[in-house]
Amino acid sequence: MGNIASIALSPYRRFTWTLGLSVGFIGVLLSAVTLWACSTFVTRDTVELTTAAVVKHFAKVPQLAAIFPESSGEEGSTSPVGEPHTPHSQTPADLLQSYDRVLPLVRMHFDLYSILDANFYDTEGRIVFSYDKEAIGQEVDASLAGSLERAATNAQVVHQRLSGHILHLWMPVQREDGQVAGVVEVKRDISEQDRQIGWLEGILMTIIVLGMLGLFLTLHHVFRNSAGTIDRQNRELEAMVFRIERTYDESLQALSSALDSRDNETHGHSFRVTSYALRLGMEMNLTDRELGDLARGALLHDVGKIGVPDAILLKPAELTEEEWVVMKSHVEIGYRMLKHIAFLSPSLDVVRYHHERWDGGGYPHGLREEEIPLFARIFALCDSYDAMTSDRPYRKGWGYNEARAEIERCTGTQFCPEVVRAFLRIPKERWLEIEEASREGEPRELLGQMLEETMSMKAASMKGGR
């Protein structure tokens, strides 16, 4: 599950999914807008064409205009169909009498525009002519009264698309003086227009899909090339940083070796205790960077002894009180020597505080418990363990079991309990391997070997944890 999560959350996959979803969303949005625009265009164009045709026919064909006669006129004038003109609207009987002559004419003109049904209303909402002869004289249906009223009152076309490719229109018919004489309701079949616009929509959808796919592939290609370039540059930078850090570390190891050589009693001490600290730090789950900082601090922990006179540093007898003051000053001397080196800043906790005690009885600041930085607590135990197990001219070094018992005894006084627990979890064989390797080989080779082993064990531990 951890591997799946890491793959799913990788920057490359996140970008691919984000890009794909974004392009897909834009494509869907463009498609929706295109479909809406095409549908709106067909509706608007059909409405305008139908309205213009109806108005034109009412203006040019007298028989159609007769359906909405003038409400008043000159006496003796005749209607367009040859009948006497009356001062009032036609009665249903009048309309029915002329129906059979007018219907074929209306159908001839309206069928040109695929009009399926038509009703002609006067301004009072009464049907004065219809494809359905029996509907003449009826009042407008209550559900349609609103559309009729809007068309008659505002002198504007009201339209609505119905299912089955039907366009429902309400078109006002105006006299020469601008007054609305009546309203024509028609239902027009626009399946042919929808079919034609469907081809256009299909072409546009294809263009959009291909365009979005091309955009996705192009951006994805650009991202892959850019990511590859960045990764390559990062690897080159990491290699350069590694070489620089390796050079620093080799310089530190040379300095540490020189310090050990000055003190014949503790030859190899710095490399050995650094190896101990790395193993213990790994047990306490320090990160790779933290282990590196701990190792540098361990190598340089006694660098301040450069400032201690040989008469004190190499004195075979017990130091006087005044000499101890000078000896203890090596902690602050080492700190002042290194504090201006930026990359060593995290490592200075070991240099400055490795002689502090958990109970506050250490030096130089008398820190206690959690006040003491973790690196210093780890190193203090390793430093004491090495001191207990190393031979001196005046005594033989202890074995592992004796040193372990002493460390357990000093838990909570000299040593941090958490660090002691980690120490006890490490098998005896690991401590003895480091000690044996120090006796048989070059200390610097021991440290290099320990670094490799520590990193390998840490990687294996992390892999097993996943």
Side-chain angles (χ1 to χ4, degrees), residues 72-129:
S72 62
E74 297 180 1
E75 195 173 333
S77 63
T78 59
S79 70
V81 293
E83 298 179 355
H85 188 77
T86 60
H88 301 289
S89 299
Q90 299 181 82
T91 65
D94 296 332
L95 296 171
L96 290 172
Q97 185 178 3
S98 61
Y99 180 82
D100 292 335
R101 287 179 293 145
V102 177
L103 179 61
L105 182 64
V106 173
R107 294 296 299 258
M108 180 183 70
H109 288 281
F110 279 22
D111 285 353
L112 296 174
Y113 304 100
S114 301
I115 291 177
L116 304 177
D117 191 19
N119 292 310
F120 295 70
Y121 295 85
D122 61 18
T123 54
E124 297 176 356
R126 182 167 57 97
I127 297 177
V128 296
F129 187 83

Side-chain angles (χ1 to χ4, degrees), residues 266-338:
T266 59
H267 180 66
H269 163 72
S270 295
F271 292 96
R272 194 165 50 249
V273 79
T274 300
S275 299
Y276 290 148
L278 281 171
R279 185 63 187 85
L280 186 53
M282 190 204 74
E283 185 68 27
M284 298 189 70
N285 296 316
L286 297 187
T287 65
D288 293 350
R289 179 171 293 278
E290 289 172 333
L291 288 171
D293 294 333
L294 174 61
R296 294 186 186 101
L299 282 172
L300 298 173
H301 71 283
D302 274 343
V303 69
K305 288 185 177 179
I306 291 176
V308 178
D310 288 348
I312 296 177
L313 182 65
L314 304 178
K315 184 178 180 179
E318 186 176 352
L319 300 179
T320 66
E321 185 174 344
E322 293 78 9
E323 289 172 336
W324 261 117
V325 172
V326 175
M327 178 63 79
K328 291 179 180 181
S329 68
H330 80 277
V331 174
E332 286 299 324
I333 293 174
Y335 173 74
R336 289 196 300 271
M337 288 174 59
L338 303 175

Side-chain angles (χ1 to χ4, degrees), residues 169-203:
L169 298 100
W170 299 80
M171 297 171 289
V173 178
Q174 295 175 283
R175 300 188 182 96
E176 292 183 358
D177 61 1
Q179 296 297 316
V180 176
V183 176
V184 180
E185 175 200 10
V186 300
K187 292 180 179 178
R188 179 175 178 179
D189 181 5
I190 59 171
S191 57
E192 180 63 20
Q193 289 86 341
D194 284 343
R195 185 185 67 80
Q196 293 176 354
I197 205 68
W199 282 99
L200 177 60
E201 290 174 345
I203 294 172

Side-chain angles (χ1 to χ4, degrees), residues 3 9 15 28 33 71 78 130-131 164 285 298 334 358 388 425 449:
N3 290 335
L9 295 177
F15 175 83
V28 171
V33 171
S71 59
T78 59
S130 174
Y131 278 12
N285 296 316
W358 183 255
M388 287 185 279
R425 287 197 300 268
Q449 178 185 349

Side-chain angles (χ1 to χ4, degrees), residues 153-171:
T153 304
N154 301 326
Q156 292 181 347
V157 178
V158 177
H159 64 85
Q160 178 185 9
R161 283 192 69 128
L162 304 178
S163 60
H165 305 286
I166 303 299
L167 185 62
H168 194 185
L169 298 100
W170 299 80
M171 297 171 289

Side-chain angles (χ1 to χ4, degrees), residues 294 349-350 353-354 356 372-381:
L294 174 61
D349 285 345
V350 175
Y353 303 116
H354 68 279
E356 302 288 352
I372 307 170
L374 178 60
F375 286 0
R377 283 181 268 150
I378 292 173
F379 180 81
L381 185 146

